[in-house]
Amino acid sequence: MSACAIVMPAWPDTSIAADDALARVTAHLRAQLADVPAAQRIIACSGGLDSSVLLAVLAHLHAAEGQPPPRALHVDHALNPASNDWAEALAERCRGLGVELDMWRVQVERTDAGLEADARRARYAAFAEALAEGGTLLLAHHRDDQTETILLRLLRGAGPAGLAGMPVRRTLGAGELRRPLLDFDRRDLVAAAEALALEICEDPSNTALQHDRNYLRHVVLPVLGERWPGYRQTLIRAAAACAEQETALAELLGPLPQALPVTELNGAPEVAAVRLRHWLASVGVAAPSRRQLQDLLRQADARDDAGVCIELGPWQIRRFAGALHAVPASRPEPPTDPMRWQPPAPLTLSHGRLEVEPAVGEGLSTTASPMEVRFRTGGERLRPAGRVGRHALKDLFQEARIPPWERDRVPLLYVAGELVAIAGLVVAEGWQAATGAPGWRLRWTPSDR
């Protein structure tokens, strides 16, 4: 690996003893992660200074305590021709530390949000997908990252939720994300890197001033620090106050449903805006702009057949049955060809999982075999067990309050070309389990639930 100079930031009082910094970082990580089993710790590594220090300190800490080494995760955005070289340099470092490295290469979809935001969205999507249940992903964000984040959000007109800054921990995918270094300045990590004799190669884009964060870091903050040397601590205190306000407000609002009834948005516009913003955050949608929020509030009163669909980054906000729903804008499509299925073995598809639960005298008869799984093409009809006449699937879906955007994704079960059941919804007359006879309750779980 080619060495890169570690340059101390031009801040007041930057003289920090390297060994002391390393000892403080090590002790802090030991305390912060005491409740996380060693085998469940995963470090998000870019290969830069911050994540390299976190990687090396944890690897040495695990070895000293006789624990298995942590794992590392690297996301390559493929935005720089040298990204393969950086990934290989990181792989070499991980091999030297005895750390297993998982490499993810992502495609950054460009939007009006800008390259930084687009890359971040792709990166966190990969993080969420890679994180197994119970896993804890560790990010090396520090106090200066937090300061920059707060200022950037302020300049973009964020409210209290945004100005609260990055949380120390939050859920992510099937696991959790933690930022255990938020109590340290970057200069602490620089000193720790010197104590560890780390050779750091930073992404040259980190100095490109066309990016907002870099411009703030290299141009604005040095000037701000000359006039107000303690601005970092002041901003962190202000962020903590915003976080306390948001926590109190969330408690006052109470738990919010997965689908938000539009009646919850009645009343004063200011109250409706706060409730809508909190609901969006609760279902994982990033804070919308003021214009997007107003657009959502205006369209919330539309008829159900108006086809309300508002794009919010990787999400769509739709209205159905008097409620707002958050739906991923990009989802795996169901297969186009019929698939054979033999219960009780589950069937995993690209967009969900089909399972059966044994039952007696209810559900689909176990004599329904062999079965094919298909999806709507139009015109399908079925006579539900115990009812008169054949019904169009559209009507059955409407009765069951299945949203229009989900209907073509629900598995249909056929035997010898006859539609015998809609997964998780109805069984056709003549195919239900007889009284006292074995049956299968069909359960369909979409992958984005």
Side-chain angles (χ1 to χ4, degrees), residues 141-210:
H141 292 132
H142 46 74
R143 185 179 291 146
D144 299 279
D145 293 322
Q146 183 76 294
T147 300
E148 293 164 5
T149 296
I150 294 166
L151 278 174
L152 282 171
R153 291 179 179 179
L154 177 62
L155 292 170
R156 293 166 182 166
L163 298 181
M166 298 180 289
V168 175
R169 57 193 294 182
R170 68 174 177 87
T171 58
L172 178 68
E176 184 183 45
L177 177 152
R178 291 200 190 188
R179 297 180 173 95
L181 296 178
L182 282 180
D183 288 336
F184 290 90
D185 293 332
R186 187 175 191 271
R187 59 184 178 178
D188 295 312
L189 304 188
V190 169
E194 290 178 344
L196 291 163
L198 293 181
E199 294 181 339
I200 306 297
C201 285
E202 294 278 6
D203 184 341
S205 69
N206 288 340
T207 59
L209 297 184
Q210 68 265 31

Side-chain angles (χ1 to χ4, degrees), residues 351-355 443-449:
H351 68 302
R353 184 177 175 87
L354 187 57
E355 300 172 285
R443 184 167 62 248
W444 167 243
T445 306
S447 57
D448 54 1
R449 296 290 176 82

Side-chain angles (χ1 to χ4, degrees), residues 175-247:
E176 184 183 45
L177 177 152
R178 291 200 190 188
R179 297 180 173 95
L181 296 178
L182 282 180
D183 288 336
F184 290 90
D185 293 332
R186 187 175 191 271
R187 59 184 178 178
D188 295 312
L189 304 188
V190 169
E194 290 178 344
L196 291 163
L198 293 181
E199 294 181 339
I200 306 297
C201 285
E202 294 278 6
D203 184 341
S205 69
N206 288 340
T207 59
L209 297 184
Q210 68 265 31
H211 300 311
D212 290 344
R213 185 177 290 270
N214 290 342
Y215 187 84
L216 191 67
R217 178 181 302 165
H218 299 294
V219 178
V220 177
L221 293 184
V223 176
L224 195 63
E226 290 177 5
R227 180 74 182 211
W228 294 283
Y231 76 89
R232 294 175 184 81
Q233 290 76 16
T234 302
L235 286 174
I236 295 298
R237 287 199 304 271
C242 288
E244 290 172 0
Q245 177 181 325
E246 285 298 291
T247 299

Side-chain angles (χ1 to χ4, degrees), residues 217-286:
R217 178 181 302 165
H218 299 294
V219 178
V220 177
L221 293 184
V223 176
L224 195 63
E226 290 177 5
R227 180 74 182 211
W228 294 283
Y231 76 89
R232 294 175 184 81
Q233 290 76 16
T234 302
L235 286 174
I236 295 298
R237 287 199 304 271
C242 288
E244 290 172 0
Q245 177 181 325
E246 285 298 291
T247 299
L249 186 57
E251 185 172 337
L252 289 172
L253 288 173
L256 295 171
Q258 190 69 22
L260 181 68
V262 296
T263 54
E264 295 281 331
L265 303 178
N266 294 339
E270 297 82 2
V271 176
V274 169
R275 190 176 295 276
L276 178 56
R277 180 167 56 81
H278 272 261
W279 172 73
L280 290 171
S282 72
V283 294
V285 180

